[in-house]
């Protein structure tokens, strides 16, 4: 019966192929959306690791998360250098990474930080940053470049770079061509780290005229001892304000208590967020779009299946002779019924196979383009349980829909019998 | 000689119809007989055939095919009986256009385990037997691999006959099988059909409106003579 269904479909291959194509394209969309959803979620969760608290000026948690980790949007509120010193001195704080943002290089954000960034920042599964070429900035005139930025701007170690003030920068509107030199290029991480440039806080202070190098001031400090400067409470701070501070704690359970302490800090209003919690909150707001996208693709799949239903129903009229022959050689109405169901399953399975092949094809061939144009990184890993469930759901839906033409063929087979008026 | 088909007081009325289409007080066809059933178009011949083939059930009366009371069998059992013991030839377009000639013949065993078994007893596979039968009916090996549409009408009807004959069913029903053929092909077709039916001792029930075919048959039944509905209609 299955072979007969295939042969019969082959006889009507033009309409059969179109049906398969409709199912394939719609299923591809559904599987693609599902994969995009889970992998984007994973990518999001992988952007930051090991950081227990992110602290910024009084603002929303999503905004703080987006600007500090994803370099999306600007932080209007800042925290003072004094508050940063306070944060560092809090009990249980193992390390801290100050971040000052607002400037850019040809659209890519510039993050001013300290050497601790390269030492303590983790992404993915506790992976540290490493250098593909060169090393971290050694003075206020050097700059580290993220992997993607290096590719896009064609930067190599030793190249000069001009930093421009981003719009919304605190009070500097004039362009500055204080030159930086690339000292190192980071390994690709697949996170927003690739999309930014990194300078020392002193570098930012110098550009903004907030900081006068110690060597110029007193003449007895070398360029290469920034950390020394940071730790020196009496020295002039390299910058007056910071955008955010990443904190690593000695033990994770401390995070909740510390968060409360920071949020109620009296000297300056601050917001502390736990990255994992904030990511989840953010993802929850994204779910509206994700569900809309998913619903649309489900509807598209239903459209594809209804297309198949229409094709099968329309074919029945032309196939009454075929049915009569099958009846004559002893096929019962039940066999005619199962013939139609098998046909629907063959069409749907072929469509699904094509859809899965298409999914891997798109990811394999177009994955780089997706990454470049939309920043979506998809990987061609095997089908997940959720994807198998979707495939099974499509098959079950096709099975149920095929009952309509199958039932009709059953009725026709009973009524027509062997006499078909053509 | 035992009976192949027996009808007693069989009446049939289509669902929703006011009058009976068939009212046959008595009809009996013996095993091995080659019978011509003649009647004008639209008089209910095809309806009678669909009753004998077990597609429809008589509204009243007794209908036995090969000693099986069809009225007592359910749909599945009647389908099974037709698959195993009845070969059916249509007027034309007997073949599935997307299968080769030999595959069309082999199709006869798809739902018929008894036919397959009889071929096995002769030590033949379904495909071997199909090819051998087509050869006997005059199709070359190359023609046997052609798709149904590529064959001439005469060849198509011989393929249809082969399908009906494969696995030696007890009864061959031919519903106007020669009406699409010209004189020469018609006679050749009937001859070959007779030969094969006789060889495997199948009963042949040949239905036509064409009186000129009567000369080929030992027994001719005029449909209007056995169907009471026709006579009544004339009186009214």
């Amino acid at each position: 019966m299955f072979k007969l269904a295939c042969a019969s479909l082959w006889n009507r291959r033009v309409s059969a192929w179109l049906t398969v194509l409709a199912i394939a394209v719609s299923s591809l969309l559904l599987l693609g959306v599902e994969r995009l959803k889970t992998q984007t979620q994973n990518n999001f969760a992988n952007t930051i690791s090991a950081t227990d608290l992110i602290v910024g000026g009084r603002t929303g948690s999503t905004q703080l998360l987006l600007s500090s980790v994803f370099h999306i949007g600007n932080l209007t509120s800042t925290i003072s250098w004094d508050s940063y010193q306070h944060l560092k001195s809090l009990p249980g704080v193992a390390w801290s990474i100050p971040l000052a943002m607002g400037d850019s290089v040809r659209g890519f954000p510039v993050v001013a930080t300290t050497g601790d960034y390269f030492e303590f920042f983790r992404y993915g599964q506790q992976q540290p940053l490493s250098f593909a070429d060169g090393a971290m900035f050694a003075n206020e005139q050097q700059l580290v470049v993220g992997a993607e930025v290096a590719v896009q701007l064609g930067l190599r170690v030793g190249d000069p770079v001009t930093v421009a003030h981003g719009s919304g920068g605190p009070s500097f509107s004039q362009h500055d061509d204080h030159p930086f030199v690339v000292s190192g290029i980071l390994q690709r991480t697949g996170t927003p780290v690739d999309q930014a440039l990194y300078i020392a806080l002193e570098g930012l202070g110098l550009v903004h005229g907030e900081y006068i190098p110690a060597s110029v001031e007193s003449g007895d400090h070398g360029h290469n001892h920034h950390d020394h400067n940071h730790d020196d409470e009496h020295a002039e701070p390299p910058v007056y304000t910071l955008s955010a501070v990443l904190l690593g704690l000695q033990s994770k359970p401390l995070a909740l208590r510390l968060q409360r302490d920071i949020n109620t800090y009296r000297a300056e209003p601050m917001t502390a967020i736990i990255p994992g919690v904030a990511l989840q909150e953010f993802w929850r707001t994204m779910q509206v779009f994700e569900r809309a996208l998913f619903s649309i693709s489900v509807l598209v799949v239903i459209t594809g299946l209804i297309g198949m239903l229409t094709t099968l129903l329309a074919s029945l009229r032309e196939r009454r002779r075929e049915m009569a022959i099958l009846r004559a050689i002893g096929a019962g109405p039940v066999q005619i019924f199962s013939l139609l169901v098998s046909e629907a399953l063959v069409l749907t399975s072929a469509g699904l196979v094509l859809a899965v092949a298409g999914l891997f094809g798109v990811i394999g061939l177009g994955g780089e383009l997706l990454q470049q144009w939309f920043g979506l990184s998809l990987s061609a890993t095997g089908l997940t349980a959720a994807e198998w469930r979707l495939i099974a759901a499509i098959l079950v839906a096709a099975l149920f829909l095929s009952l309509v033409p199958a039932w009709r063929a059953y009725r026709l087979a009973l009524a027509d019998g062997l006499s078909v008026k053509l | 000689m035992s009976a192949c088909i027996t009808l007693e007081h069989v009446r049939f009325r289509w669902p929703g119809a006011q009058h009976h289409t068939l009212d046959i007080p008595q009809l009996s066809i013996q095993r091995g007989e080659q019978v011509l059933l003649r009647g004008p178009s639209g008089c209910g011949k095809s309806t009678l055939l669909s009753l004998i083939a077990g597609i429809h059930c008589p509204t009243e009366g007794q209908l036995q095919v090969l000693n099986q009371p069809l009225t007592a069998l359910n749909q599945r059992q009647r389908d099974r009986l037709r698959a195993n013991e009845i070969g059916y030839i249509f007027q034309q377009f007997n073949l599935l256009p997307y299968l080769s000639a030999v595959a069309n013949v082999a199709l006869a065993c798809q739902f018929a385990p008894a036919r397959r078994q009889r071929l096995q007893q002769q030590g033949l596979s379904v495909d071997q037997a199909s090819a051998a039968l087509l050869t006997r009916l005059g199709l070359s090996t190359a023609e046997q691999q052609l798709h149904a549409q590529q064959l001439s009408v005469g060849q198509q009807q011989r393929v249809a006959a082969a399908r009906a004959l494969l696995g030696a069913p007890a009864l061959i029903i031919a519903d106007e099988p020669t009406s699409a053929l010209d004189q020469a092909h018609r006679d050749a077709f009937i001859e070959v059909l007779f030969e094969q039916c006789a060889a495997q001792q199948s009963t042949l029930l040949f239905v036509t409106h064409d009186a000129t075919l009567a000369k080929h048959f030992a027994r001719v039944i005029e449909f209007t003579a056995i169907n009471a509905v026709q006579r009544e209609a004339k009186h009214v």
Side-chain angles (χ1 to χ4, degrees):
Chain A
M1 192 45 84
F2 184 73
K3 264 170 70 183
L4 212 57
C6 290
S8 182
L9 282 175
W10 184 248
N11 186 44
R12 293 171 278 129
R13 52 189 169 278
V14 175
S15 63
W17 272 121
L18 287 176
T19 308
V20 166
L21 203 65
I23 292 172
V25 170
S26 56
S27 309
L28 173 62
L29 186 68
L30 185 66
L31 291 176
V33 165
E34 166 67 23
R35 181 151 288 217
L36 202 62
K37 182 188 94 180
T38 35
Q39 295 203 343
T40 312
Q41 196 169 7
N42 281 342
N43 288 347
F44 262 61
N46 277 340
T47 48
I48 190 161
S49 162
T51 300
D52 296 307
L53 284 173
I54 303 174
V55 186
R58 183 51 51 84
T59 181
S61 70
T62 300
Q63 198 182 5
L64 181 56
L65 177 82
L66 286 181
S67 57
S68 63
V69 178
F70 296 95
H71 313 309
I72 298 170
N74 288 310
L75 277 175
T76 45
S77 51
T78 57
I79 53 177
S80 68
W81 185 256
D82 288 342
S83 297
Y84 169 52
Q85 298 304 322
H86 167 74
L87 291 173
K88 270 171 50 171
S89 67
L90 284 172
V93 172
W95 50 263
S96 66
I97 301 172
L99 302 172
M101 286 165 284
D103 289 353
S104 64
V105 171
R106 287 201 264 164
F108 291 102
V110 171
V111 178
T113 181
T114 64
D116 290 348
Y117 187 81
F118 305 101
E119 194 175 336
F120 294 117
F121 187 85
R122 298 284 186 274
Y123 68 96
Q125 262 63 51
Q126 301 279 349
Q127 285 144 280
L129 299 175
S130 59
F131 283 86
D133 196 11
M136 89 179 218
F137 45 76
N139 61 42
E140 65 269 15
Q141 272 142 16
Q142 291 187 336
L143 163 147
V144 168
V145 183
E148 189 57 33
V149 178
V151 172
Q152 295 280 310
L153 301 184
L155 291 176
R156 281 183 301 188
V157 172
D159 286 351
V161 175
T162 305
V163 173
H165 296 308
S167 60
S171 57
F172 307 93
S173 51
Q174 86 275 20
H175 281 279
D176 194 312
D177 49 12
H178 183 98
F180 284 88
V181 175
V182 176
S183 70
I185 293 167
L186 290 171
Q187 286 279 12
R188 190 173 280 276
T189 63
T191 71
V193 169
D194 299 346
Q195 313 272 350
L197 300 94
Y198 305 88
I199 58 173
L201 285 173
E202 290 80 1
L204 185 76
L206 206 60
V207 172
H208 292 179
E210 294 174 27
Y211 171 70
I212 301 143
S215 55
V216 176
E217 201 175 17
S218 59
D220 58 4
H221 282 300
H223 284 322
N224 300 335
H225 300 294
H226 299 290
D227 288 346
H228 236 80
N229 285 340
H230 293 171
D231 295 339
D232 191 343
E233 296 281 338
H234 305 294
E236 273 290 300
V239 288
Y240 298 124
T241 58
L242 293 170
S243 304
V245 177
L246 309 183
L247 292 182
L249 304 181
Q250 274 148 4
S251 75
K252 278 204 175 285
L254 277 175
L256 276 173
R257 210 195 67 209
L258 224 55
Q259 183 185 26
R260 197 173 55 242
D261 288 352
I262 295 168
N263 282 338
T264 55
Y265 181 55
R266 282 180 183 279
E268 188 179 14
M270 289 195 287
T271 302
I273 57 170
I274 298 171
V277 176
L279 272 170
Q280 281 200 342
E281 269 174 32
F282 175 62
W283 196 254
R284 230 168 283 146
T285 63
M286 294 295 282
Q287 267 179 345
V288 180
F289 303 103
E290 172 215 309
R291 284 201 188 124
L293 208 56
F294 189 77
S295 314
I296 290 168
S297 40
V298 166
L299 286 177
V300 173
V301 168
I302 292 173
T303 312
L305 291 178
I306 288 177
M308 174 181 76
L309 182 71
T310 314
T311 315
L312 284 179
L313 274 176
S315 76
L316 284 184
R317 195 175 296 277
E318 304 150 26
R319 295 172 66 197
R320 290 171 95 166
R321 167 59 56 177
E322 184 181 334
M323 299 302 166
I325 293 167
L326 291 174
R327 289 284 279 144
I329 62 166
V334 174
Q335 273 105 4
I336 301 285
F337 187 89
S338 64
L339 177 74
L340 266 290
V341 174
S342 332
E343 279 180 17
L345 289 183
V346 167
L347 288 173
T348 312
S349 309
L352 285 171
V353 167
L354 214 61
V356 171
L359 181 68
F360 287 123
V362 166
I363 293 171
L365 299 174
E368 291 230 344
L369 289 177
L370 281 177
Q371 168 81 49
Q372 275 175 22
W373 291 347
F374 305 112
L376 301 170
S377 84
L378 294 178
S379 55
T381 46
L383 291 175
T384 63
E387 284 164 340
W388 279 116
R389 270 199 295 279
L390 283 179
I391 289 173
I394 294 173
L395 268 178
V396 169
L399 187 72
F400 275 104
L401 277 180
S402 76
L403 297 183
V404 176
W407 176 246
R408 186 153 170 72
Y410 179 93
R411 301 293 309 168
L412 281 175
L414 275 180
D416 284 356
L418 304 178
S419 58
V420 177
K421 279 103 196 159
L422 281 179
Chain B
M1 220 184 238
S2 65
C4 178
I5 304 169
T6 318
L7 285 82
E8 274 169 34
H9 306 295
V10 165
R11 286 177 167 204
F12 181 78
R13 186 169 57 186
W14 289 104
Q18 288 199 327
H19 299 286
H20 285 110
T21 307
L22 293 177
D23 181 358
I24 302 174
Q26 208 278 326
L27 175 66
S28 178
I29 294 170
Q30 301 302 307
R31 285 200 193 215
E33 263 194 302
Q34 297 181 341
V35 177
L36 182 79
L37 180 64
R38 207 205 70 83
S41 306
C43 64
K45 298 191 302 282
S46 293
T47 308
L48 175 60
L49 294 186
S50 77
L51 292 188
I52 294 170
I55 299 285
H56 298 291
C57 241
T59 320
E60 294 167 37
Q62 291 299 314
L63 169 57
Q64 290 202 353
V65 174
L66 302 162
N67 299 324
Q68 302 258 25
L70 287 194
T71 40
L73 300 182
N74 65 24
Q75 175 82 56
R76 256 188 68 197
Q77 290 167 319
R78 282 181 279 136
D79 287 334
R80 180 53 61 92
L81 179 69
R82 178 172 70 257
N84 284 333
E85 298 301 345
I86 300 177
Y88 206 101
I89 309 172
F90 292 106
Q91 189 172 336
Q92 56 177 328
F93 308 120
N94 272 295
L95 309 179
L96 296 186
Y98 46 83
L99 295 181
S100 68
V102 72
N104 259 291
V105 176
L107 208 56
C109 289
Q110 175 96 29
F111 306 104
R115 289 203 197 192
R116 215 173 304 141
Q117 210 172 356
R118 284 194 288 264
L119 291 175
Q120 262 170 13
Q121 281 165 4
Q122 295 171 27
L124 290 171
S125 76
V126 172
D127 289 337
Q128 285 169 342
S130 307
L133 199 50
L134 281 175
T135 308
R136 253 177 283 152
L137 291 172
L139 266 81
S140 71
T141 315
E143 284 165 341
Q144 292 174 13
Q145 296 306 323
L146 290 178
H147 274 218
Q149 308 108 300
Q150 295 165 287
L151 298 171
S152 73
V153 180
Q155 286 170 327
Q156 287 185 27
Q157 286 305 74
R158 274 179 279 159
V159 175
R163 189 179 60 211
L165 289 161
L166 186 74
L171 173 63
I172 305 288
I173 298 176
D175 187 3
E176 307 255 17
T178 56
S179 62
L181 303 180
D182 60 32
Q183 176 84 44
H185 279 104
R186 194 177 63 192
D187 290 346
F189 179 80
I190 291 174
E191 203 167 300
V192 94
L193 192 58
F194 275 18
E195 237 174 68
Q196 294 304 321
C197 284
Q200 57 192 38
Q201 295 163 347
S202 299
T203 311
L204 175 63
L205 178 58
F206 195 106
V207 177
T208 184
H209 64 277
D210 184 355
T212 60
L213 292 176
K215 61 176 190 272
H216 297 278
F217 290 84
R219 181 178 173 197
V220 177
I221 301 170
E222 285 293 330
F223 189 74
T224 45
I226 58 162
N227 192 5
V229 171
Q230 297 294 320
R231 290 193 295 264
E232 282 167 15
K234 273 174 198 164
H235 293 304
V236 172

